[in-house]
Amino acid sequence: MITVTDLSLSYGERTLFKDVNLKFTPGNCYGIIGANGAGKSTFLKILAGETEHDKGSISFGKDLRMAVLTQDHFAFEKYPALETVIMGFSKLYRIQKEREIMYAKEDFSEEDGIRASELEADFAELGGWEAEAQAGQLLSGLGLDEEDHGRLMAELDESKKVRVLLAQALFGNPDILLLDEPTNGLDLESISWLEEFLIEFPNTVIVVSHDRHFLNAVCTHVCDIDYGRITPYSGNYDFWYQMSQILQRQARDQLKKREDKARELKEFIQRFSSNASKARQATSRKKVLEKLDLENVPVTSRKFPYVGFKPEREIGNNVLQVANLNYTFEGTLLLNNFSLTVHKGDKIAFVGSEHASKSALFDIIAGEKKAIHGECSWGQTTTFSYFPRENSAFFNSTLSITDWLKQYSSDEDDTYVRSFLGRMLFSGDEALKPVNVLSGGEKVRCMLSKMMLSGANILILDEPTNHLDLEAITALNDGLIAFPGVIMFNSHDHEFINSIANRIIEILPQGKTTANSPDSYIDRRMVFDDYLRDSAVKQLRSAAYNQAERLRI
């Protein structure tokens, strides 16, 4: 059990936490939620002992082992992936290293023999004999090929490093597990594996995540950070959301009643304060007014941007025809004679682990890259707007956000653009910030603003939920559901895909040939949950990935 007592933390005049009291018990998974900047990651760092707090205490059993998902992706560059995972159980790793040094000695004394015996007992007790096998299972479950297990961390790309560090946190059955955004960098299969792992995990898990499906799948409790308080709720994210809506309505009603009461009191005081016969009543009401607290009825600090896409022109039946696309990047075949017909009303999610293939396809159909072979043909009534995964090139400028957005607006009036930005949570001086200093989430909101102003009837989005908080993801989710045009998108957010898409396309591993292959992708007109359950789809996927594994070997 972890017990948090009267925890407080302030930075200057800003209070992040005030008198927080919580208990985290074994067998439960606690999701920490809150708006960007509310202090979710800071709270995990306080629990881990990485950040000091001003007041209060945190206590848990001295024999309990805490594991934390490391955020420094370059901390283990000189170590192999498998060894990096085992390093997550520091006591076992120290014994393993000492044991190796001991047996490497040429002169083995009687004292060494005694120490070796002690090490063997500790090594066995801590599960040392099974350590490499368990570490390998974790890496494989998170999507790393066996050939990567022995590679140095420095040789792995960013996505694989993230998975190794997650396996490191999970390794060795820790008593307390702290995970900050564990699904970042994972594909949908790896997220599903992690969900199953955490559902079966017997100890205490505390997790920060923006993935609603993940929070619903794994959380037994939700801890909501708002106005410096952390309020625990039993149940998953959906239960919290429903409950919070009820509580917010009650708070708004209470605030309105207090405001109405204050207005009545003020009117009475103004009317009768100079009337001798009513002076005592006026004085009495003035005291009531002074005690009437209008400040301590907080509704929520959360802010939802407005996301709404309105096409200027209705789309016709002829939308997009993609014929026999081939594309290779740095010797890797990403698209193998890929063909696609997009129809009016399609909202297509591109899924699977071939991320580079999906991004290449979007770049080609948006005209950003040229295919080696094949062609794309847009219909006469179509206009598209593209959200690329890598958007930094749009922000290499010292223009203010307002002036930046003016470039994409048919109405260059400051008032119109500032009003538009205000709905996207860039109000006041925020709209005057230079775009080259924006955070990842702010850049995404700018790109979405650009798309909304385009009036396009086709939206192409490559991982648009990256860097967004839950409120912005929800707003974007609702905006895309309501959009009457065609959508082609890629996301690792399960709920986002399942609630928007009516057609699923999975680009499979492309192999080493350029011959036409009917199994280079799967195309099904169904929602995502049905796609995942479809037995025919499972057989196709299994065959494709097994073949890809054989080709790698």
Side-chain angles (χ1 to χ4, degrees):
M1 178 188 291
I2 304 176
T3 304
V4 179
T5 307
D6 296 331
L7 178 74
S8 296
L9 176 65
S10 298
Y11 291 113
E13 295 183 358
R14 183 189 174 211
T15 299
L16 205 59
F17 306 118
K18 184 178 181 180
D19 300 328
V20 172
N21 291 279
L22 293 168
K23 286 186 178 179
F24 301 101
T25 56
N28 289 314
C29 177
Y30 299 84
I32 310 297
I33 63 171
N36 278 355
K40 302 183 293 294
S41 295
T42 302
F43 182 65
L44 286 195
K45 288 178 180 176
I46 291 172
L47 294 180
E50 297 173 6
T51 296
E52 293 292 329
H53 49 282
D54 299 334
K55 193 183 81 168
S57 63
I58 298 165
S59 61
F60 53 91
K62 63 178 182 178
D63 295 328
L64 298 183
R65 184 170 76 86
M66 178 182 288
V68 182
L69 175 57
T70 302
Q71 299 298 315
D72 183 357
H73 298 169
F74 304 97
F76 303 92
E77 294 289 85
K78 63 181 181 179
Y79 297 98
L82 197 71
E83 184 175 351
T84 301
V85 173
I86 296 172
M87 291 169 77
F89 193 168
S90 57
K91 184 177 180 181
L92 172 61
Y93 182 71
R94 285 196 304 271
I95 290 171
Q96 184 185 57
K97 290 288 111 179
E98 185 180 350
R99 183 171 166 272
E100 290 173 3
I101 293 170
M102 182 70 68
Y103 289 128
K105 286 185 174 183
E106 293 184 3
D107 297 323
F108 202 74
S109 66
E110 183 178 346
E111 187 178 340
D112 289 335
I114 295 171
R115 179 55 185 158
S117 177
E118 294 171 348
L119 290 172
E120 288 294 344
D122 291 340
F123 187 71
E125 184 180 351
L126 295 174
W129 295 111
E130 301 84 31
E132 288 195 3
Q134 291 176 358
Q137 288 174 357
L138 289 171
L139 290 174
S140 296
L142 288 167
L144 259 75
D145 299 325
E146 194 168 338
E147 64 187 28
D148 289 326
H149 296 188
R151 293 173 63 190
L152 295 178
M153 289 287 282
E155 298 172 0
L156 301 180
D157 63 30
E158 190 72 7
S159 172
K160 290 179 179 179
K161 286 179 182 178
V162 169
R163 295 162 194 249
V164 175
L165 295 176
L166 179 54
Q168 182 190 72
L170 303 178
F171 177 73
N173 197 37
D175 300 292
I176 301 164
L177 186 54
L178 305 184
L179 302 174
D180 191 355
E181 295 292 357
T183 61
N184 281 0
L186 300 186
D187 57 31
L188 288 161
E189 279 192 336
S190 298
I191 293 173
S192 179
W193 179 90
L194 178 60
E195 288 173 357
E196 291 299 323
F197 181 94
L198 294 179
I199 289 168
E200 298 296 326
F201 188 73
N203 301 326
T204 305
V205 182
I206 305 175
V207 59
V208 170
S209 177
H210 288 148
D211 187 323
R212 295 162 295 170
H213 184 274
F214 179 76
L215 291 172
N216 278 328
V218 304
C219 289
T220 59
H221 297 73
V222 167
C223 296
D224 179 31
I225 303 179
D226 208 359
Y227 287 109
R229 301 172 306 206
I230 305 182
T231 307
Y233 297 83
S234 295
N236 62 12
Y237 177 80
D238 278 351
F239 179 84
W240 166 83
Y241 184 77
Q242 294 165 8
M243 181 61 68
S244 70
Q245 297 303 297
I246 294 170
L247 294 175
Q248 286 174 34
R249 281 197 297 272
Q250 290 175 346
R252 282 192 291 267
D253 291 345
Q254 185 182 357
L255 181 59
K256 187 177 184 305
K257 287 178 182 177
R258 291 193 188 186
E259 288 172 341
D260 291 344
K261 180 68 173 177
R263 186 171 58 255
E264 291 174 8
L265 291 170
K266 287 177 183 177
E267 289 174 357
F268 185 92
I269 293 165
Q270 288 173 351
R271 287 175 59 195
F272 298 111
S273 58
S274 58
N275 185 321
S277 64
K278 300 280 188 177
R280 181 175 295 180
Q281 294 179 42
T283 301
S284 174
R285 281 167 170 75
K286 188 174 182 180
K287 290 179 180 178
V288 172
L289 179 61
E290 289 171 352
K291 292 179 180 179
L292 196 60
D293 188 359
L294 298 177
E295 299 297 324
N296 289 326
V297 192
V299 179
T300 178
S301 63
R302 287 179 170 79
K303 295 180 180 179
F304 289 78
Y306 168 79
V307 181
F309 303 96
K310 297 178 181 178
E312 294 176 353
R313 181 180 186 180
E314 185 177 353
I315 199 166
N317 292 323
N318 184 16
V319 179
L320 173 65
Q321 190 74 40
V322 177
N324 303 319
L325 286 188
N326 276 64
Y327 184 76
T328 300
F329 181 71
E330 295 183 348
T332 300
L333 182 63
L334 299 181
L335 295 170
N336 181 10
N337 286 334
F338 181 87
S339 296
L340 169 68
T341 300
V342 179
H343 306 281
K344 182 179 181 179
D346 276 352
K347 293 187 176 182
I348 308 172
F350 290 80
V351 303
S353 60
E354 302 299 301
H355 307 300
S357 297
K358 291 178 283 187
S359 293
L361 175 63
F362 288 164
D363 281 344
I364 291 168
I365 62 178
E368 301 292 326
K369 289 180 178 175
K370 192 167 182 63
I372 298 170
H373 178 268
E375 59 182 27
C376 299
S377 176
W378 289 101
Q380 291 291 323
T381 62
T382 61
T383 55
F384 68 82
S385 185
Y386 180 34
F387 180 104
R389 182 184 301 192
E390 177 49 57
N391 57 38
S392 58
F394 288 89
F395 300 97
N396 292 331
S397 166
T398 57
L399 288 174
S400 69
I401 299 175
T402 302
D403 289 336
W404 181 88
L405 192 59
K406 277 184 188 178
Q407 301 173 102
Y408 308 105
S409 173
S410 57
D411 187 339
E412 295 190 3
D413 179 62
D414 262 18
T415 303
Y416 173 77
V417 174
R418 290 289 292 270
S419 172
F420 192 90
L421 286 170
R423 292 188 298 173
M424 290 300 287
L425 309 184
F426 294 110
S427 56
D429 291 341
E430 283 288 304
L432 302 177
K433 284 168 55 173
V435 295
N436 60 355
V437 301
L438 299 181
S439 67
E442 288 171 330
K443 288 178 180 176
V444 171
R445 281 187 276 133
C446 281
M447 292 297 292
L448 293 175
S449 300
K450 170 180 173 291
M451 295 182 79
M452 283 188 273
L453 287 172
S454 72
N457 52 26
I458 298 170
L459 303 177
I460 307 168
L461 305 108
D462 192 358
E463 293 286 5
T465 58
N466 287 354
H467 307 294
L468 293 182
D469 59 19
L470 278 165
E471 291 70 42
I473 291 172
T474 301
L476 175 58
N477 202 154
D478 293 343
L480 292 178
I481 290 171
F483 180 62
V486 167
I487 304 173
M488 291 177 276
F489 71 101
N490 167 31
S491 176
H492 63 267
D493 187 313
H494 186 119
E495 182 66 24
F496 193 77
I497 296 172
N498 199 54
S499 59
I500 296 169
N502 57 21
R503 182 178 174 186
I504 307 296
I505 295 177
E506 180 171 3
I507 301 177
L508 301 169
Q510 301 299 290
K512 295 183 178 179
T513 71
T514 56
N516 188 25
S517 169
D519 296 328
S520 63
Y521 61 94
I522 303 171
D523 185 351
R524 294 289 186 273
R525 190 167 293 281
M526 57 177 61
V527 298
F528 187 51
D529 278 346
D530 289 346
Y531 179 85
L532 294 176
R533 288 190 290 261
D534 191 283
S535 57
V537 167
K538 288 180 180 178
Q539 289 178 358
L540 285 171
R541 296 181 78 256
S542 177
Y545 283 96
N546 287 338
Q547 181 184 12
E549 184 64 28
R550 287 195 297 271
L551 288 171
R552 272 195 293 266
I553 295 170

